[in-house]
Amino acid sequence: MRTNSPPGSGPLLSPRPAGACASGPGGERPRAGSASPRADAGGGASAASGGKMNYMPGTASLIQDIDKKHLVLLRDGRTLIGYLRSIDQFANLVLHQTVERIHVGKKYGDIPRGIFVVRGENVVLLGEIDLEKESDTPLQQVSIEEILEIQRVEQQTKQESDKLKMQALKERGLSIPRADTLDEY
């Protein structure tokens, strides 16, 4: 609808072109503090909530854990301990001052690994380490050489035990496929 007013004497009312911004009543823009229907879409902060960040599911919730010491259990059984420095949407992690901790019985040893990049699909468990309770462990720390030797002996004992089990099953007419012939997935 058009009004017959002389040019420059008042606004012309015309349909808004496609893609133009919506304005409030009377042609005014919405104020910065006013809530809009999409103000809090996607879990972000809004002015109506006082500027507080809402909980965001997934890896975005790890943002508050950056620069804290974490323990990461990998799919292959390794345990890493280091400072979380970076994450992304795929849960890929960057750990700094990382050590690989090897547990055997009540003993453990730490192998320094430096900066470690972990692909997100390999993470089984990620947990923050309480620095105050970290030294209150019933485990005994031993040297790297000693823990590796203890681990080797334990693995060798397990292999011999598995071999005896397989032979006993074979004598009874049973066979179980070996783990190295199966897919890991």
Side-chain angles (χ1 to χ4, degrees):
M1 164 173 140
R2 292 186 178 256
T3 58
N4 292 330
S5 56
S9 65
L12 294 177
L13 299 176
S14 63
R16 186 176 55 228
C21 290
S23 60
E28 64 191 41
R29 299 261 182 228
R31 287 176 290 180
S34 66
S36 66
R38 296 183 50 118
D40 203 14
S46 71
S49 65
K52 292 182 184 177
M53 187 70 117
N54 293 334
Y55 176 76
M56 295 187 294
T59 57
S61 63
L62 291 174
I63 292 172
Q64 63 193 12
D65 290 340
I66 288 183
D67 294 334
K68 294 180 182 175
K69 196 170 190 178
H70 283 77
L71 178 138
V72 180
L73 182 63
L74 300 180
R75 195 167 60 174
D76 65 0
R78 288 185 288 169
T79 302
L80 303 174
I81 296 175
Y83 291 92
L84 183 64
R85 295 299 185 203
S86 181
I87 57 166
D88 67 5
Q89 70 270 24
F90 304 109
N92 296 324
L93 310 173
V94 176
L95 298 172
H96 183 244
Q97 296 177 353
T98 308
V99 294
E100 181 179 347
R101 181 161 288 178
I102 298 174
H103 296 93
V104 180
K106 295 219 175 240
K107 296 181 180 181
Y108 74 93
D110 290 339
I111 302 171
R113 298 292 189 196
I115 295 176
F116 216 89
V117 178
V118 181
R119 188 176 170 106
E121 67 182 16
N122 293 321
V123 175
V124 173
L125 180 129
L126 171 70
E128 183 180 350
I129 294 178
D130 189 352
L131 297 177
E132 295 173 3
K133 296 181 182 179
E134 183 178 16
S135 60
D136 298 339
T137 178
L139 302 176
Q140 174 191 2
Q141 185 171 8
V142 295
S143 70
I144 297 170
E145 294 81 18
E146 187 176 345
I147 197 68
L148 290 174
E149 180 61 25
I150 294 170
Q151 184 184 40
R152 188 188 62 75
V153 169
E154 183 184 79
Q155 287 175 347
Q156 190 175 26
T157 305
K158 186 178 182 321
Q159 284 177 351
E160 290 171 3
S161 171
D162 288 347
K163 190 183 284 187
L164 289 173
K165 286 178 189 177
M166 292 294 289
Q167 187 163 356
L169 289 170
K170 189 182 259 186
E171 290 171 359
R172 290 172 176 82
L174 301 171
S175 66
I176 297 176
R178 293 191 341 241
D180 59 346
T181 61
L182 299 174
D183 289 336
E184 289 186 0
Y185 307 109

